[in-house]
Amino acid sequence: LFKPVLVLGNSLIEELTEQELDALLTHELVHIKHKDNLNNWLLFLLRNLTFFNPISSILMRQILFETERICDREAVLLTGQKPEAYAAVLLRVWKLLLKQKPLRGGLVSAFTGRMNEMEYRVTALLKNRNKDKGIPALIFQPIILLFTVTALLYLGLIC
């Protein structure tokens, strides 16, 4: 949680080129730089405290998706790759992970998103959206916290 570790399977290392590995590792290092691991853990905790509120699940899904888009955009800038090349890496890694064992399919979708989310990530990269239309995670965190506190106050669990 506080000291994240990147783990890559041998199949990814063997299948990907050096440039593709660079893009993949840069994306994951951006997650570490932004402390996404800790932020996501706290957000999952808040979402679980408000399990009865459907808005918290919707917000959580959007936060995770926006976090991925932000890391994609920053990885493109840091690696100096064209967005098209980075999008190709995303799709290649996604397909390689899906090809592995069927049991990992759920795990892959947890890491890379569902197909429509992957389509949107790639489309966002290819359209070169420098001005985000999405709402960053920093805005969602206070909203989820507000929902949590409100719900807990309403239920009488605080005070």
Side-chain angles (χ1 to χ4, degrees):
L1 192 60
F2 297 104
K3 292 183 180 181
V5 175
L6 293 178
V7 178
L8 289 176
N10 286 336
S11 61
L12 274 180
I13 294 171
E14 292 168 359
E15 292 279 339
L16 298 177
T17 66
E18 189 174 322
Q19 189 176 10
E20 291 170 333
L21 271 174
D22 183 43
L24 177 66
L25 290 173
T26 302
H27 175 94
E28 296 306 323
L29 289 172
V30 170
H31 279 298
I32 291 172
K33 177 183 148 194
H34 292 172
K35 295 183 172 59
D36 288 338
N37 198 24
L38 179 61
N39 288 335
N40 290 346
W41 186 85
L42 292 172
L43 288 170
F44 274 109
L45 178 68
L46 289 174
R47 197 249 354 240
N48 290 341
L49 287 173
T50 60
F51 65 91
F52 48 84
N53 186 346
I55 293 174
S56 63
S57 293
I58 294 167
L59 288 173
M60 185 67 196
R61 177 190 259 163
Q62 189 65 30
I63 289 170
L64 294 175
F65 177 69
E66 292 299 327
T67 301
E68 288 301 319
R69 276 192 346 105
I70 289 167
C71 289
D72 288 341
R73 191 181 67 224
E74 197 165 330
V76 167
L77 293 173
L78 290 172
T79 59
Q81 289 184 346
K82 291 183 178 181
E84 295 84 5
Y86 183 80
V89 172
L90 275 181
L91 292 173
R92 183 149 190 256
V93 169
W94 196 64
K95 287 177 184 177
L96 285 172
L97 291 173
L98 285 175
K99 263 187 6 183
Q100 287 181 1
K101 294 184 181 176
L103 290 175
R104 295 186 187 161
L107 198 61
V108 170
S109 68
F111 287 125
T112 59
R114 293 179 302 200
M115 186 57 187
N116 61 342
E117 292 171 352
M118 183 58 73
E119 274 182 55
Y120 188 75
R121 283 173 67 184
V122 169
T123 303
L125 280 169
L126 296 179
K127 287 187 176 180
N128 200 12
R129 294 183 186 169
N130 290 329
K131 295 180 182 176
D132 275 336
K133 291 184 180 179
I135 301 172
L138 291 177
I139 294 173
F140 279 115
Q141 291 170 345
I143 291 171
I144 288 181
L145 182 60
L146 178 67
F147 276 114
T148 304
V149 171
T150 304
L152 293 175
L153 285 171
Y154 179 75
L155 292 173
L157 298 175
I158 300 177
C159 301

